[in-house]
Amino acid sequence: MERRRFSYEVLVFLLTLLLFSLTCATASSSDPTQLHDHVEQPRRNLLANGLAKTPPMGWNSWNHFSCQINENIIKETADALVSTGLSKLGYRYVNIDDCWAELNRDASGNLVAKKSTFPSGIKALADYVHRKGLKLGIYSDAGYLTCSKQMPGSLGHEFQDAKTFASWGIDYLKYDNCNNDESKPTDRYPVMTRALSMARRPIFFSLCEWGDLHPALWGAKVGNSWRTTNDINDSWESMISRADMNEVYADYARPGGWNDPDMLEVGNGGMTKNEYIVHFSLWALSKAPLLLGCDVRNMTKETVEIVTNKEVIAVNQDSLGVQGKKVRMEGDIEIWAGPLSMYRVAVILLNRGPWNISITANWDDIGIPSKSVVQARDLWEHKTLVERFQEKLTAQVDPHGCKMYVLKPVA
Ligand SMILES: *[C@@H]1O[C@H](CO)[C@@H](O)[C@H](O)[C@H]1NC(C)=O
Ligand SMILES: *[C@@H]1O[C@H](CO)[C@@H](O)[C@H](O)[C@H]1NC(C)=O
Ligand SMILES: *[C@@H]1O[C@H](CO)[C@@H](O)[C@H](O)[C@H]1NC(C)=O
């Protein structure tokens, strides 16, 4: 009996090998300008933890608080996510970034929550957050020390740390890339992938190797999202350049694994309202994680208005899961577009320049059949335009501003 099962497994293995080599042969013989095979291939190799069907939504402590965090901030943020209605809109991950642990592991080599700032421990915090219907995320590093150098990394401790995280009830792990042994991320990150899969708790795995080794090309097998850029800061230049760098990899995003141009800065005060609207619109269309980075206990009306825009969130969370791209660039003018479910198209008319300007999206550019008559919904005005559009749509756009529409073909 044992013998027969063994030979059956060998047969399955050989068939898989054969199938794999056939797939490779097809891919390499195809036209290299066609991304199709290239993109289809990783689709078959998704990380099988069942998470990230749509991009993750929630909050992370870093952009606003950096190392100045404690358990009260985390609890109050969880409270605020619920009381403001943000959690109902999908913002459910409460993610602790760097600086939550003691610099030294305990006698058994376990990570220990920092006594002065997290006296109740991480398990208690996870229980608190879970009781509110939210999820708790944590942070570690594929190196010996995290980026702050105030806590240890998980390199060489992957299996033990993954087990610890699972035992605490952690739902999300952001895994940074500082202070490592200079081996490749493709050697270090999959070790944590295996460790998490053996920890027997579905934990969203966020690869934060800053785009160094083009993680879009290998990330889908390893994690649920992968940073395509180094850190964002709260400025127009930083934000818009991260959107640009991330866009290059649009074809690699899909349900289960997403490109990550870094967390949101909306509400931190360094950009104008229009700029934050561009930030949120581009992240939504790019199917980026929508992780708030402001103090959600103390948001202005303007910030609330931006991050609670249900129609823009719906573009991000659309079931088709296709990342939008730049489809036309002319000086300061850009058109970004991407398909949605039900034959709809999301489009952004972006003005990167200092003066307001008239921008036109042509159906040819944005993937709508040329003769189609289209109804347009303005996602920031919350208005369906009365006019029906044919061939193109034109709008006046503010400096460092955008218009965002969902276009729907009508009979
Ligand atoms: C923010 O990023 C921009 C562009 O990436 C850079 O020029 C600027 O110096 C950064 N600002 C701060 C305060 O780090
Ligand atoms: C709340 O935000 C405002 C700016 O919008 C700031 O001036 C104030 O200090 C903040 N309050 C707290 C408690 O952080
Ligand atoms: C564009 O700028 C002109 C001149 O400042 C102004 O009158 C007009 O209202 C602006 N249009 C928009 C849509 O901002």
Side-chain angles (χ1 to χ4, degrees):
M1 205 54 201
E2 271 317 297
R3 265 181 99 87
R4 276 175 58 199
R5 212 159 77 228
F6 172 73
S7 46
Y8 173 72
E9 276 167 16
V10 168
L11 184 67
V12 169
F13 174 70
L14 286 175
L15 277 172
T16 312
L17 210 68
L18 179 69
L19 222 93
F20 180 71
S21 39
L22 279 175
T23 314
C24 291
T26 325
S28 55
S29 66
S30 68
D31 178 353
T33 60
Q34 292 213 316
L35 269 170
H36 190 71
D37 288 322
H38 210 46
V39 172
E40 283 305 311
Q41 185 135 346
R43 271 181 200 276
R44 287 191 277 267
N45 287 316
L46 275 179
L47 183 62
N49 65 3
L51 300 173
K53 297 264 158 54
T54 61
M57 292 177 67
W59 171 85
N60 172 291
S61 54
W62 187 258
N63 284 356
H64 190 83
F65 296 97
S66 62
C67 268
Q68 273 63 63
I69 51 170
N70 59 54
E71 64 184 33
N72 288 332
I73 291 178
I74 307 300
K75 282 179 166 177
E76 286 166 14
T77 298
D79 297 346
L81 285 171
V82 174
S83 66
T84 53
L86 285 168
S87 64
K88 280 219 176 69
L89 295 173
Y91 296 98
R92 294 215 174 81
Y93 285 109
V94 181
N95 293 350
I96 310 169
D97 208 284
D98 201 350
C99 306
W100 61 267
E102 292 288 351
L103 183 56
N104 296 310
R105 293 170 177 268
D106 71 11
S108 320
N110 294 310
L111 289 166
V112 182
K114 200 166 176 179
K115 296 227 166 43
S116 58
T117 47
F118 291 85
S120 316
I122 305 298
K123 173 84 170 71
L125 207 46
D127 292 344
Y128 184 89
V129 163
H130 289 156
R131 276 199 297 276
K132 299 192 158 276
L134 304 174
K135 294 172 179 298
L136 190 70
I138 208 156
Y139 166 99
S140 190
D141 185 285
Y144 300 118
L145 285 171
T146 60
C147 298
S148 69
K149 300 194 177 165
Q150 293 183 26
M151 57 175 275
S154 291
L155 187 62
H157 294 266
E158 291 87 351
F159 291 84
Q160 183 170 15
D161 291 352
K163 234 166 106 179
T164 301
F165 298 148
S167 75
W168 287 342
I170 292 295
D171 304 294
Y172 185 116
L173 174 65
K174 172 178 171 182
Y175 205 42
D176 221 331
N177 197 23
C178 286
N179 307 307
N180 61 63
D181 60 1
E182 301 194 349
S183 63
K184 289 181 181 166
T186 44
D187 293 330
R188 285 175 288 118
Y189 280 76
V191 182
M192 185 52 92
T193 307
R194 282 202 302 284
L196 289 171
S197 73
M198 286 172 65
R200 306 210 162 272
R201 181 179 174 87
I203 295 178
F204 185 108
F205 191 27
S206 157
L207 316 181
C208 184
E209 64 81 91
W210 320 314
D212 278 4
L213 209 67
H214 307 285
L217 309 187
W218 50 269
K221 284 180 270 186
V222 181
N224 298 110
S225 68
W226 44 87
R227 281 275 297 279
T228 52
T229 72
N230 51 19
D231 284 8
I232 195 171
N233 69 36
D234 190 12
S235 69
W236 167 261
E237 269 314 314
S238 173
M239 182 277 290
I240 204 80
S241 55
R242 251 117 290 259
D244 292 340
M245 290 184 263
N246 186 68
E247 190 268 346
V248 173
Y249 300 106
D251 289 326
Y252 293 91
R254 63 197 153 274
W258 307 100
N259 289 310
D260 177 5
D262 207 359
M263 303 172 294
L264 296 165
E265 291 282 8
V266 181
N268 281 333
M271 291 182 244
T272 66
K273 182 178 183 188
N274 276 341
E275 291 172 340
Y276 280 140
I277 286 177
V278 169
H279 184 11
F280 199 70
S281 301
L282 288 177
W283 261 238
L285 187 87
S286 304
K287 301 296 190 291
L290 295 183
L291 295 173
L292 303 170
C294 63
D295 184 353
V296 297
R297 303 168 308 172
N298 183 28
M299 293 183 290
T300 62
K301 254 182 75 184
E302 191 178 289
T303 300
V304 172
E305 183 193 326
I306 295 170
V307 302
T308 62
N309 187 324
K310 285 183 191 168
E311 302 192 69
V312 175
I313 292 171
V315 168
N316 181 257
Q317 298 290 305
D318 183 71
S319 59
L320 195 62
V322 175
Q323 180 174 333
K325 310 181 198 192
K326 284 186 213 196
V327 295
R328 184 168 284 274
M329 305 157 71
E330 288 171 20
D332 289 331
I333 294 175
E334 284 178 5
I335 316 284
W336 293 56
L340 299 174
S341 54
M342 316 269 276
Y343 303 102
R344 296 167 308 146
V345 171
V347 60
I348 292 174
L349 314 182
L350 172 63
N351 177 5
R352 300 173 71 131
W355 296 286
N356 74 18
I357 200 163
S358 165
I359 303 184
T360 297
N362 293 300
W363 284 192
D364 279 353
D365 288 335
I366 63 179
I368 295 179
S370 58
K371 298 282 183 262
S372 289
V373 179
V374 158
Q375 186 186 70
R377 175 79 181 171
D378 184 324
L379 304 191
W380 287 106
E381 298 291 330
H382 301 292
K383 266 196 246 155
T384 302
L385 307 188
V386 236
E387 190 186 345
R388 293 289 187 266
F389 297 89
Q390 251 179 308
E391 287 173 43
K392 61 184 197 284
L393 178 153
T394 300
Q396 201 71 25
V397 185
D398 289 334
H400 285 196
C402 72
K403 299 291 279 181
M404 186 172 189
Y405 302 96
V406 167
L407 306 180
K408 187 170 82 178
V410 288

